[in-house]
Amino acid sequence: QVQEVGGRPITVFETQASKLSTILLRASTSSLLADLERAVDDGVHACRVACQDGRLVPGGGATEMECSLRVKQFGDTCPGLDQYAIRTVATVLEFVPRTLAQNAGLHAGDTLAALGAAHANGQGTHGIDITGKSSNGIFDTAETQLVDLLATKESAFRLALDAALTVLKVDQIIMSKPSGGGRAN
């Protein structure tokens, strides 16, 4: 059948017998077209991952804030300098909710304080409200079914930890080498 898309007639073939689909993308510039292609590719990949591993976690920064709270609690049980390193990791986990709050035009400090208090009170599914409908910038993501794929979170955490460990290894190599390069013997 012939349909009009964007003022131009195109021919669309539909069949129920095939599981394949073709998506036609149009854009005014090649960079916009590349962005659209990446967005479709990301969406298809997310659907594939969801079909393989359908486990979901609360979205809107709720998962990161809950992880941060639990890592802080663990850090409080550790003695000495380890406690500071562990609490720093917990603070780093607050990056996603902080970024969501900033991008939504909310005061990040106040919003993170409210979110942290909610999680400390057992409201582990509360996340950042980017719509601005709530008074304190947070809401229960379970009520609106705002979720993220667990596989995506696991991958992000794994990559972040790998990057941090790589930096620490390089730092240790630099620290263990004797100084004095360029000294004449």
Side-chain angles (χ1 to χ4, degrees):
Q1 75 184 22
V2 177
Q3 294 180 355
E4 191 170 310
V5 176
R8 293 187 181 170
I10 63 166
T11 303
V12 177
F13 300 97
E14 292 185 26
T15 180
Q16 300 300 328
S18 176
K19 293 184 179 181
L20 297 176
S21 297
T22 301
I23 300 173
L24 175 68
L25 299 175
R26 295 178 57 205
S28 56
T29 64
S30 61
S31 63
L32 182 57
L33 185 60
D35 289 344
L36 288 172
E37 186 177 350
R38 275 191 298 278
V40 169
D41 187 48
D42 290 346
V44 169
H45 180 69
C47 288
R48 185 183 56 160
V49 169
C51 289
Q52 292 172 348
D53 181 5
R55 294 179 293 171
L56 303 171
V57 293
T63 300
E64 290 84 355
M65 184 55 81
E66 186 66 22
C67 287
S68 173
L69 178 71
R70 292 187 184 201
V71 170
K72 280 180 188 173
Q73 290 170 348
F74 172 72
D76 290 341
T77 66
C78 296
L81 293 176
D82 290 345
Q83 179 182 18
Y84 296 111
I86 293 169
R87 289 184 66 80
T88 300
V89 170
T91 303
V92 170
L93 288 170
E94 296 174 359
F95 175 77
V96 171
R98 179 181 308 279
T99 302
L100 285 172
Q102 289 171 341
N103 289 346
L106 302 170
H107 186 274
D110 294 344
T111 307
L112 278 180
L115 185 59
H119 280 259
N121 290 329
Q123 298 169 322
T125 59
H126 277 60
I128 303 296
D129 179 16
I130 63 169
T131 64
K133 293 180 182 176
S134 64
S135 61
N136 59 356
I138 65 171
F139 75 116
D140 188 0
T141 60
E143 289 179 8
T144 59
Q145 297 180 348
L146 176 62
V147 293
D148 288 329
L149 289 168
L150 176 62
T152 303
K153 296 291 182 190
E154 283 178 340
S155 176
F157 289 156
R158 190 175 300 112
L159 288 171
L161 287 172
D162 285 347
L165 289 173
T166 300
V167 169
L168 289 174
K169 286 178 185 175
V170 169
D171 219 23
Q172 287 176 351
I173 291 170
I174 292 171
M175 298 282 288
S176 67
K177 291 199 176 193
S179 62
R183 265 195 281 171
N185 290 334

